[in-house]
Every structure is written in C-alpha cells, then in structure tokens.
C-alpha cells in the first residue's frame, strides 16, 4: 500500500510538471504572438500615416496641375483674343490706308471684302460686302453690284445660278459712294441648293471724271462649307475694264 502511494505521488508530480511546462511554453508562444501583432499594428499605423501624407501631397500636386492648366487655358484664350483684336486692328488700319492713300493699291473701284457668317438657323446666312474707291481726285462712283451663287440645282434638277437678289429681297445691288460703301443683309439658301462658288461683280458707270469699270471676285463656297464656315477664300480671277 505504501509503494502504491509513492507511485501515485510520483506520477502526480510528473503530471503537474508537464502541465506547468506546457503552460509556460504556451504563454511564451502567446507573448511572441502578442509582440508580433503589436509590431504589425505599429507597421500598419506607420503605413497609414505615410499613405495619408502621400495622399495630401498628391492632392496638392493635382491642385497645382489643375491651377496651372486653368492658367494656361486662360492665357491661350487671352492670346487668341489679343491676336483677333490685333488682326482686326490691322485690317482697319489697312482699310483706312486704302482710303487715305489710294496710291498703295490698284486705282479705281475695288471689292475690298466679302464675308459670310452663319446664323442660328440652318441655311440662314448674313453677308457683308465692302466696296471701295482707291484713286486720287475722287468723285462719286455709281453703279451696280451683282452676287451670284453658282452650281445650284433648281427644282427640275438642271444646274443654274442663283442671284442674291432672289434670296434677299432687300438687296438692290445699287451703290453710290465717294470713298467706300458697305452692303449688308441676310439670305436663306434653298435646302437642295448645291453651291460651289460665289461670284461678286461690281460695275461702275463711266463719267467725265472716270471711265466705266468692272471688277469681279470669285469665292470658294464649297471649301467654306467643308471647313465649317470659318473663312471664305478668294479664288484667282482677272479684272476686266471697259
């Protein structure tokens, strides 16, 4: 009986020792895992702070980029506006140079400019024709101007020209001026009209001070339409005098 008790206590002590050893090993592993988790939490916090800082820097860079882009766009618009103003000023200067110094250009009647701009409605257009007299000792010029749209189709399908007087009932074509005259108006092209060129011809009547004269300009309407109505180009032609 005594030997049985010793054996029991012996195994009890051994069991307690193994249990204690297992507990200590588990606690040691738990401490290691806790430290690892704590380090990971510190790394995550550091990465989160770094990410926030990088996000702020990116936001500042994007804001600077947007501001710089807006400044550049504003400068481009201002530059375009200034160039347009400069072109307009140069055109006015050239125009008045022809008026006050007629020796700079061909003497006599001249079609200074013919411009067409699109209105809000489709096929609706406004026009402006500027006639000028460039010669010394000016006297009043009288005559008529005719504007014709070439290459149009009528209802029967045969090609025939269309005169501006048919499209704009207020256009008479008569002119009378000493220095220059501007003719303005609006017209509506027929939907089926196929225009390729515009002929502008001006005939000045002869007088005791000047001979009769005919001036003709041709403009490329087809190219004008294909390029979005930006610029009506003048085609080469020969001016005839009578």
């Amino acid at each position: 009986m005594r030997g049985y008790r010793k054996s029991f206590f012996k195994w009890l002590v051994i069991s307690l020792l193994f249990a204690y050893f297992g507990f200590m090993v588990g606690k040691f592993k738990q401490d290691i895992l806790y430290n690892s988790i704590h380090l990971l939490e510190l790394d995550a916090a550091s990465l989160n702070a770094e990410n926030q800082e990088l996000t702020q820097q990116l936001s500042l860079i994007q804001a600077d980029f947007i501001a710089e882009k807006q400044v550049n766009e504003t400068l481009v618009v201002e530059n375009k506006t200034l160039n347009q103003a400069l072109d307009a000023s140069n055109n006015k200067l050239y125009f008045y140079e022809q008026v006050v110094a007629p020796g700079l250009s061909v003497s006599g009647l001249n079609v200074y400019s013919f411009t067409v701009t699109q209105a809000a409605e489709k096929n609706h257009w406004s026009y402006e024709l500027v006639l000028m007299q460039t010669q010394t000792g000016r006297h009043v010029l009288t005559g008529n101007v005719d504007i014709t749209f070439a290459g149009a189709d009528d209802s029967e399908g045969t090609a025939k020209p269309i005169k501006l007087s048919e499209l704009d009932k207020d256009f008479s074509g008569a002119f009378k001026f000493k220095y220059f005259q501007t003719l303005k108006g609006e017209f509506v092209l027929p939907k089926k009209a196929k225009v390729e060129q515009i002929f502008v011809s001006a005939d000045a009547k002869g007088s005791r001070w000047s001979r009769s004269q005919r001036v003709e300009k041709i403009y490329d309407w087809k190219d004008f339409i294909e390029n979005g109505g930006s610029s009506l180009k003048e085609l080469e032609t020969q001016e005839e005098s009578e």
Side-chain angles (χ1 to χ4, degrees):
M1 191 69 179
R2 184 178 295 176
Y4 176 77
R5 290 181 178 177
K6 289 182 178 180
S7 177
F8 174 76
F9 283 114
K10 178 181 178 181
W11 286 108
L12 181 61
V13 172
I14 291 173
S15 298
L16 291 175
L17 288 174
F18 273 106
Y20 178 76
F21 179 75
F23 173 77
M24 294 302 295
V25 171
K27 188 175 184 305
F28 177 73
K29 290 183 177 180
Q30 185 180 10
D31 291 341
I32 293 176
L33 182 60
Y34 175 78
N35 291 332
S36 299
I37 294 174
H38 183 64
L39 290 174
L40 290 175
E41 290 177 348
L42 292 176
D43 291 340
S46 177
L47 290 174
N48 185 49
E50 184 177 356
N51 182 59
Q52 290 180 355
E53 183 179 356
L54 291 175
T55 302
Q56 291 177 353
Q57 292 179 359
L58 179 61
S59 299
L60 291 175
I61 292 173
Q62 289 177 340
D64 290 340
F65 175 77
I66 294 173
E68 184 176 354
K69 183 180 180 181
Q70 291 176 344
V71 170
N72 289 336
E73 291 176 350
T74 301
L75 290 175
V76 169
V77 173
E78 290 181 354
N79 183 59
K80 184 178 180 180
T81 302
L82 290 174
N83 284 330
Q84 290 175 345
L86 180 60
D87 291 340
S89 178
N90 288 334
N91 289 335
K92 288 181 180 179
L93 178 61
Y94 176 76
F95 175 78
Y96 287 113
E97 281 180 347
Q98 308 307 305
V99 173
V100 300
L104 296 176
S105 60
V106 178
S107 178
L109 177 64
N110 180 30
V111 177
Y112 176 75
S113 67
F114 178 64
T115 56
V116 178
T117 55
Q118 188 169 12
E121 298 183 43
K122 189 176 181 180
N123 293 333
H124 287 62
W125 306 87
S126 60
Y127 66 89
E128 179 179 286
L129 174 66
V130 180
L131 300 175
M132 179 187 294
Q133 181 179 188
T134 54
Q135 63 185 20
T136 56
R138 294 183 183 91
H139 296 277
V140 175
L141 281 181
T142 59
N144 288 277
V145 62
D146 183 66
I147 299 176
T148 305
F149 298 86
D153 291 339
D154 63 7
S155 59
E156 298 179 357
T158 59
K160 73 169 187 178
I162 302 178
K163 293 185 178 297
L164 180 61
S165 56
E166 300 174 27
L167 305 176
D168 179 11
K169 300 304 180 181
D170 295 329
F171 178 77
S172 66
F175 63 81
K176 182 179 181 181
F177 64 92
K178 186 174 183 179
Y179 295 98
F180 65 90
Q181 184 173 341
T182 301
L183 304 177
K184 296 182 180 181
E186 297 181 353
F187 64 91
V188 180
L189 279 176
K191 294 182 178 179
K192 295 183 179 181
K194 296 180 180 179
V195 180
E196 294 185 358
Q197 296 178 342
I198 301 178
F199 292 82
V200 179
S201 57
D203 293 278
K205 298 177 182 179
S207 66
R208 66 177 188 175
W209 299 287
S210 61
R211 56 192 173 89
S212 62
Q213 185 181 4
R214 178 179 176 84
V215 179
E216 184 177 86
K217 296 287 183 72
I218 304 176
Y219 298 91
D220 194 339
W221 179 262
K222 183 178 180 180
D223 177 79
F224 177 70
I225 296 299
E226 290 177 350
N227 286 280
S230 58
S231 176
L232 189 60
K233 295 181 181 179
E234 180 183 346
L235 300 176
E236 293 185 0
T237 184
Q238 293 182 351
E239 295 184 357
E240 298 178 359
S241 300
E242 297 179 354

